[in-house]
Amino acid sequence: MTKHGFLLATLVLAGATLPIGPVTAATPEEEQAAFQAYFKQRFPNVPEDEFKNGTYAIDPVTRENWEAIEEFPPYENAISQGETLWNTPFADGQGYADCFPDGPAIMNHYPRWDRERGQVMTLPLALNACRTAHGETPLKYKKGPIADLLAYIAFESRGQITRVEIPQDDPRALAAYEQGKRFYFARRGQLNFACGHCHLATSGARLRTETLSPAYGHTTHWPVYRSDWGEMGTLHRRFAGCNEQVRAKAFEPQGEEYRNLEYFLTYMNNGLELNGPGARK
């Protein structure tokens, strides 16, 4: 495994004080294989399909509480409200179904590389592109109606498999992946932490009262109702919160930084089942 740049970067991350980054060149396919193998070896008693459940795959105590919450999930209202939004026509008489004829079970189509725009296209960005194309005001990206829409789409998409592609014939797609990877391993903020410090190198360890969740499975269950939010929130809201927790300035939700980060991280989770929306502490 250490022949892969990804795992060599993990070793650097775990012990070095220098900026984190890949040590040797590797393809995305090799890095994905190394990433997934790392977590399977780190948590050998966790079945692979359990990683979609985040920290509840590795912490039996919090899992019991989560399973109890899931009997009456706090995201049910969001699913219902999202379904209403999906089926409500725009002012011009069209609706989301006109933009997404395969929908609403389309969560596994995103994020994807948009060749025409030359950028990573996430589902929230695509939903707002649909709205603006029909003369509607874009939705805010952290919470509210966008989270409700995503909750409904995620619910309808349950059971789909994460399948992010990096087109080999467009070097811009690989560049976006690489930028997302660099973001993941870059130290930032006053605490000088990278994403991988908590969710790769020390995943499973305790931080105060929390068990640090493994990065393998981080993208499967969004949007999420978090107890400390008291409401639904999007993946980019969580990205921003993590940046703020290490005392770094957060980037704009759906900006290039977080879209490329989502592209990289979701690609690392290829093969896992989607089971959103979710509930977390």
Side-chain angles (χ1 to χ4, degrees):
M1 284 172 53
T2 55
K3 69 179 182 179
H4 294 297
F6 190 97
L7 285 191
L8 291 176
T10 302
L11 297 177
V12 173
L13 185 151
T17 58
L18 297 175
I20 301 162
V23 179
T24 62
T27 67
E29 292 83 0
E30 290 173 328
E31 291 173 342
Q32 180 190 97
F35 175 95
Q36 296 183 5
Y38 172 84
F39 285 104
K40 293 172 189 176
Q41 291 190 12
R42 188 172 182 84
F43 304 103
N45 297 322
V46 176
E48 183 174 3
D49 64 350
E50 273 293 312
F51 281 103
K52 67 179 182 289
N53 294 319
T55 189
Y56 305 124
I58 63 173
D59 188 336
V61 175
T62 58
R63 185 186 181 97
E64 289 183 8
N65 295 331
W66 170 65
E67 288 177 343
I69 290 173
E70 284 289 328
E71 293 183 11
F72 302 96
Y75 49 75
E76 283 188 325
N77 285 341
I79 294 173
S80 178
Q81 291 165 5
E83 182 176 12
T84 298
L85 288 169
W86 179 274
N87 292 318
T88 300
F90 301 140
D92 66 358
Q94 302 292 298
Y96 292 107
D98 295 288
C99 298
F100 306 97
D102 296 329
I106 53 174
M107 187 66 77
N108 72 332
H109 295 176
Y110 298 90
R112 63 177 178 81
W113 178 251
D114 189 312
R115 191 182 302 271
E116 292 184 4
R117 290 182 171 88
Q119 66 179 40
V120 173
M121 177 61 71
T122 64
L123 182 52
L125 205 66
L127 289 169
N128 265 346
C130 174
R131 292 181 61 85
T132 56
H134 291 283
E136 299 290 320
T137 303
L139 301 175
K140 294 184 178 180
Y141 285 120
K142 285 187 176 182
K143 59 183 181 178
I146 194 72
D148 294 340
L149 267 171
L150 293 171
Y152 172 60
I153 294 170
F155 183 75
E156 291 294 312
S157 303
R158 282 186 172 184
Q160 293 180 345
I161 303 301
T162 304
R163 301 195 191 281
V164 172
E165 296 182 356
I166 303 173
Q168 296 184 0
D169 62 345
D170 192 336
R172 299 173 300 173
L174 179 60
Y177 165 88
E178 293 289 344
Q179 288 166 12
K181 180 174 67 177
R182 284 197 294 272
F183 188 104
Y184 191 83
F185 286 108
R187 297 172 183 266
R188 54 177 38 85
Q190 291 181 338
L191 298 185
N192 200 32
F193 276 11
C195 304
H197 277 112
C198 291
H199 300 295
L200 200 154
T202 56
S203 55
R206 301 285 291 184
L207 180 62
R208 300 188 182 93
T209 62
E210 303 296 327
T211 299
L212 295 172
S213 57
Y216 191 31
H218 264 178
T219 59
T220 59
H221 49 270
W222 291 87
V224 157
Y225 182 98
R226 285 180 59 88
S227 299
D228 62 344
W229 291 342
E231 60 185 356
M232 298 294 298
T234 65
L235 178 61
H236 286 207
R237 179 180 180 180
R238 188 64 185 132
F239 285 166
C242 286
N243 282 172
E244 291 166 353
Q245 284 178 324
V246 299
R247 299 174 188 171
K249 183 178 179 180
F251 293 91
E252 287 297 316
Q254 297 304 321
E256 183 179 34
E257 296 85 0
Y258 287 163
R259 282 187 286 107
N260 289 344
L261 175 61
E262 180 179 347
Y263 193 46
F264 162 75
L265 193 54
T266 310
Y267 181 82
M268 290 293 105
N269 283 268
N270 268 359
L272 286 182
E273 182 179 301
L274 298 174
N275 63 342
R280 295 294 185 268
K281 291 177 64 177

